[in-house]
Amino acid sequence: MASAATAELGVDKRRVREQVKKALRQLSAEQMAEESRLIAARMLASAAFRDSPHAIIYVHCAKLREVDTTAILEAAMAEHKRLYVPRVQDKEANMHFLHLDGWGALQEVPPFGIREPRPTYDDGRERQDVLLVDEPLELIVMPGLAFDRSGRRLGRGGGYYDKFIYSAQDRAAARGWAPPLLVALSFRSQLVERVPVEPHDVGVDAIVTPDDVIACTPAGAAALPASSVS
């Protein structure tokens, strides 16, 4: 019975992924740019961003039609936040988040041209890994493929963010720190009525859309209250 339910859930996930990918393909470059502008403005106006000296913010991939994070990353660097961005390690869902000290630290990685940080600084030192430094992590700004208003998130199937977030939450608990706030950025077409999830799928505290901020937990409501942006 369990295997049948698991198989059915897998079918549901594939259906939602295809539905949202199709909708994303129909967005024009102008639509994506305008929605990304509104999303960034909401994110930058939030206490979640203002009160997070250490943050993970993903570097968007144009080919995957992700919400553009350029303005958010630039603001974080301008405010001298300790900023970390993802670097995929292998096909076993292992992803490291390394310190970003400037745009020049990024390199494009095939096949999608995702920009990832080089493993070393210009002077040859190993680039800092967020899980290996003795400082808290207040904020994770993450992508996804589909979301619902309860905070359920559907990724692209690799499980990279789920695996990392469990490690980050365990690390915070072991040190007596608050867990990082989990915030997703979403185009309008990525919001669906219900995302099919499994027990290990990590939900988010808040979803930032062009139209509003969807608080999914009390922590999300406190850090990202609805704002007026035009």
Side-chain angles (χ1 to χ4, degrees):
M1 182 70 72
S3 59
T6 300
E8 183 177 355
L9 187 57
V11 170
D12 288 343
K13 284 187 171 184
R14 287 193 294 274
R15 176 183 53 78
V16 173
R17 286 190 177 106
E18 289 307 310
Q19 169 192 330
V20 174
K21 285 179 181 179
K22 180 179 179 180
L24 287 174
R25 288 194 294 268
Q26 294 173 347
L27 290 178
S28 67
E30 292 75 17
Q31 282 178 294
M32 289 191 292
E34 177 60 12
E35 290 193 29
S36 291
R37 182 189 71 80
L38 291 168
I39 290 166
R42 292 185 189 283
M43 189 71 231
L44 294 176
S46 70
F49 182 82
R50 183 184 65 243
D51 298 338
S52 297
H54 314 91
I56 282 173
I57 302 172
Y58 74 94
V59 182
H60 81 284
C61 177
K63 287 186 179 179
L64 294 177
R65 306 181 84 78
E66 293 176 333
V67 173
D68 190 329
T69 54
T70 303
I72 302 172
L73 288 163
E74 286 183 343
M77 287 187 278
E79 294 181 18
H80 304 291
K81 294 183 184 294
R82 195 69 177 176
L83 184 60
Y84 299 88
V85 296
R87 178 182 173 88
V88 173
Q89 295 302 113
D90 53 39
K91 295 182 178 180
E92 303 301 319
N94 291 307
M95 184 164 61
H96 291 186
F97 288 79
L98 304 183
H99 175 228
L100 181 66
D101 55 343
W103 291 111
L106 299 175
Q107 60 184 0
E108 289 194 1
V109 177
F112 297 108
I114 295 173
R115 291 172 295 166
E116 296 183 348
R118 293 181 174 83
T120 58
Y121 295 105
D122 290 343
D123 61 7
R125 289 179 300 120
E126 188 172 333
R127 194 170 293 276
Q128 285 188 337
D129 184 318
V130 70
L131 292 182
L132 299 179
V133 295
D134 191 23
E135 58 189 22
L137 175 64
E138 294 89 6
L139 175 65
I140 299 177
V141 178
M142 57 200 296
L145 191 55
F147 311 93
D148 66 27
R149 300 184 76 88
S150 294
R152 300 181 187 91
R153 171 186 176 272
L154 183 65
R156 294 179 182 272
Y160 288 90
Y161 272 92
D162 291 337
K163 189 171 184 178
F164 169 78
I165 288 168
Y166 281 125
S167 296
Q169 290 172 337
D170 287 347
R171 173 176 172 269
R175 288 165 171 75
W177 298 332
L181 189 78
L182 307 180
V183 178
L185 308 184
S186 173
F187 290 124
R188 295 183 181 105
S189 56
Q190 292 178 273
L191 281 175
V192 300
E193 184 175 349
R194 184 178 177 84
V195 168
V197 294
E198 297 173 74
H200 64 267
D201 291 326
V202 176
V204 297
D205 294 300
I207 304 165
V208 184
T209 80
D211 306 307
D212 59 4
V213 174
I214 303 167
C216 309
T217 67
L224 285 111
S227 59
S228 176
V229 176
S230 60

